[in-house]
Amino acid sequence: MPSSYSITHKGRHYPFGNLRTLMAKASPKRSADELAGLAAESEVERALAQRCLAEIPLQRFLDEPLIPPESDEVSQLILDRHDTEAFAPIRNLSVGEFREWLLSHPGDPSSLAWGITPEMAAAVSKIMRNQDLIAVAKRCRVVTRFRNTLGLDGRLSTRLQPNHPTDDMRGIAATILDGLLYGSGDAVIGINPATDHLGNVGRLIHLMSDLIEKYSIPTQSCVLSHVTTTMELIQKGYPVDLVFQSIAGTEAANKSFGVDLALLGEAKTMAESLGRGTLGQNIMYFETGQGSALSANAHHGVDAQTLEARAYAVAREFSPLLVNTVVGFIGPEYLYDAKQIIRAGLEDHFCGKLLGLPMGCDVCYTNHAEADQNDMDNLLTLLGVAGCNYIMGIPGCDDIMLAYQSTSFHDALYVREVLGKRPAPEFEIWLEEMGLFKDNRRLLNHPQRSQMIQNFTDQIQGSH
């Protein structure tokens, strides 16, 4: 084991200073770390940093926190929640040995979840090839429940995302109908509101609640407003299913989102008191993404991917139904091209699953990134093989409100067909009962389907 964070190669000494610097230098290339001045200066330095990192004992991440716990509540949470008994099977391993253990040890690695810190997960991911990330994540099975069962083996769910640039109720309802006809929406029907105004968010909540109740759809709804808006609506008696919040991997970054751990805990308690889940009480929905802490100047000199993994420590504290990385949403300043987006998506999914989270991924890119929809097809397929819990479903891949490109309703049909995946079991039964699907295939002509479309249309034109 190295006594210091340095290595000599061909007569040249490469010092890495400390564990934080070593982690950053060992990260696969991405523009966020280059922007922050943390990245390796060459592929040689990156490879040597990875070699040095592979020899670091896992125990070192407990002994030398990257961000001091006395100044960061996320660091304190990580140390407080670390389970020494769960850690015991791997406590004497180095990062490199942990990689070998993950690849060769039978069973579900997420059984160790509370014995693994986010920094350990991030470290081992940095020395893994894409196929390693896929192979290990595929064995991690994380199942959650609210009104249906998500994350079962052989299942791939979708978030039906009916965003509208003016929050027009008829436009949103029409998109919900479109998505349901393609078998989308078992993970959640989730709207990003164009405005976080209390009355507007309340109308959206009622719209989805009414539709889910009228058609007995075994799914859940969520308006992705700020957590404080949702809490106020809960107090006013609105039918809130899931509580959403974007989160990050440092206390300061979370404060930039207007949240801390105590506030998230209060929101969870409030939502649980409504008792709206029929199969379970996983009621939180979190979104993350590499680079958010850097955007807030709250990264503490830690690389983007490690900070992303630390956000998962925040998420798992609240037993969420859903977590997803919005992998290419911030843009090329942080993930420059398709290669970086694909790598980041696989890293995030691997780290989240290893830490015991029900990970999904918004397979996406912005229009000024060096990527296109074929690249997203590649990532979508890789994540499907890796056992991703859910993806997004957006009309034509194009979110006209958020102005970015994601995955369409058709994309979910594709990946389910080629990989033999199915929707959540309760949702699959509903699709068949409504005459929309049979044997996991769409029914384009069925009397009950036609009647549902007519009823849905009348409701859109009427009460909403």
Side-chain angles (χ1 to χ4, degrees):
M1 300 297 179
S3 58
S4 62
Y5 302 110
S6 65
I7 195 168
T8 300
H9 177 68
K10 292 185 177 180
R12 179 180 171 184
H13 187 61
Y14 289 83
F16 299 113
N18 54 39
L19 187 54
R20 183 172 58 241
T21 300
L22 177 63
M23 289 277 280
K25 299 288 188 182
S27 283
K29 182 178 180 179
R30 65 209 46 196
S31 49
D33 295 337
E34 293 175 329
L35 181 64
L38 303 174
E41 295 180 3
S42 67
E43 291 302 321
V44 171
E45 185 182 30
R46 180 172 291 109
L48 292 172
Q50 291 171 346
R51 178 178 170 183
C52 186
L53 179 62
E55 297 180 348
I56 297 297
L58 293 179
Q59 180 65 38
R60 191 78 60 87
F61 294 96
L62 297 171
D63 298 337
E64 300 179 23
L66 301 188
I67 302 173
E70 57 268 19
S71 60
D72 184 272
E73 68 172 2
V74 177
S75 293
Q76 188 63 58
L77 175 71
I78 291 168
L79 294 177
D80 288 346
R81 294 294 183 264
H82 183 252
D83 186 331
T84 55
E85 185 175 339
F87 183 52
I90 58 172
R91 67 174 304 121
N92 295 320
L93 301 183
S94 67
V95 173
E97 291 168 338
F98 184 37
R99 172 185 174 272
E100 296 300 318
W101 189 93
L102 288 170
L103 290 170
S104 62
H105 196 77
D108 184 347
S110 63
S111 61
L112 297 180
W114 290 96
I116 302 169
T117 69
E119 292 84 356
M120 294 175 193
V124 75
S125 76
K126 294 176 190 297
I127 63 169
M128 299 176 87
R129 291 173 58 184
N130 287 1
Q131 66 175 249
D132 299 339
L133 300 173
I134 293 168
V136 175
K138 183 178 178 62
R139 301 204 321 271
C140 296
R141 188 58 49 203
V142 183
V143 178
T144 55
R145 294 175 176 86
F146 189 76
R147 291 201 189 97
N148 55 22
T149 307
L150 303 174
L152 293 171
D153 190 24
R155 305 282 174 169
L156 176 69
S157 297
T158 60
R159 168 188 161 190
L160 202 174
Q161 185 170 311
N163 296 346
H164 191 282
T166 63
D167 287 337
D168 179 80
M169 296 294 165
R170 291 177 299 175
I172 289 171
T175 303
I176 293 174
L177 172 60
D178 190 26
L180 292 173
L181 295 176
Y182 280 96
S184 183
D186 50 340
V188 65
I189 303 174
I191 303 171
N192 296 93
T195 172
D196 205 44
H197 182 270
L198 201 65
N200 180 62
V201 173
R203 285 191 294 272
L204 295 175
I205 289 173
H206 271 303
L207 168 65
M208 292 186 291
S209 178
D210 290 348
L211 292 174
I212 288 172
E213 182 176 349
K214 179 178 178 64
Y215 296 98
S216 302
I217 308 173
T219 190
Q220 38 281 327
S221 67
C222 184
V223 178
L224 282 70
S225 57
H226 192 268
V227 65
T228 53
T229 302
T230 306
M231 292 168 72
E232 188 169 350
L233 289 167
I234 291 174
Q235 290 176 326
K236 292 179 178 292
Y238 280 76
V240 172
D241 285 346
L242 305 185
V243 174
F244 168 82
Q245 184 55 47
S246 294
I247 56 172
T250 70
E251 178 180 350
N254 284 322
K255 284 184 177 178
S256 76
F257 288 144
V259 300
D260 57 22
L261 298 177
L263 182 65
L264 294 176
E266 182 181 353
K268 179 175 183 286
T269 300
M270 290 178 65
E272 286 173 337
S273 70
L274 299 178
R276 292 180 58 80
T278 55
L279 296 184
Q281 280 294 303
N282 298 115
I283 49 82
M284 302 297 283
Y285 174 16
F286 296 116
E287 284 190 343
T288 66
Q290 292 192 25
S292 57
L294 178 60
S295 294
N297 194 28
H299 59 293
H300 298 276
V302 177
D303 66 271
Q305 190 255 330
T306 300
L307 290 175
E308 172 72 4
R310 283 169 54 93
Y312 303 154
V314 176
R316 69 178 178 176
E317 176 71 6
F318 302 102
S319 304
L321 181 75
L322 305 165
V323 179
N324 72 266
T325 168
V326 194
V327 65
F329 183 74
I330 300 181
E333 298 83 3
Y334 292 167
L335 294 170
Y336 178 72
D337 57 15
K339 183 175 183 178
Q340 293 187 17
I341 293 172
I342 289 171
R343 174 69 190 190
L346 295 177
E347 288 171 348
D348 294 351
H349 178 254
F350 163 83
C351 288
K353 281 289 184 64
L354 193 61
L355 293 166
L357 287 176
M359 285 300 295
C361 184
D362 191 342
V363 180
C364 64
Y365 65 102
T366 58
N367 290 317
H368 61 310
E370 292 293 323
D372 60 27
Q373 211 64 43
N374 286 326
D375 298 313
M376 298 305 103
D377 287 348
N378 293 342
L379 178 55
L380 170 63
T381 306
L382 293 172
L383 286 169
V385 174
C388 187
N389 278 30
Y390 71 104
I391 59 169
M392 306 299 120
I394 298 169
C397 303
D398 185 11
D399 191 307
I400 58 174
M401 194 278 280
L402 292 175
Y404 80 119
Q405 308 302 310
S406 185
T407 46
S408 72
F409 304 140
H410 304 75
D411 293 334
L413 294 181
Y414 146 74
V415 77
R416 282 173 175 166
E417 180 176 353
V418 298
L419 297 178
K421 302 282 188 176
R422 308 174 80 91
E426 301 86 356
F427 193 78
E428 183 179 26
I429 292 170
W430 179 83
L431 289 173
E432 292 186 355
E433 290 176 344
M434 296 300 294
L436 304 180
F437 276 60
K438 184 176 182 180
D439 298 327
N440 205 31
R441 291 185 176 273
R442 295 178 68 208
L443 294 178
L444 297 181
N445 294 295
H446 188 282
Q448 195 165 342
R449 177 182 187 274
S450 300
Q451 187 61 52
M452 177 189 171
I453 293 173
Q454 185 60 57
N455 292 344
F456 211 102
T457 303
D458 291 344
Q459 188 169 355
I460 292 169
Q461 294 175 342
S463 61
H464 294 291

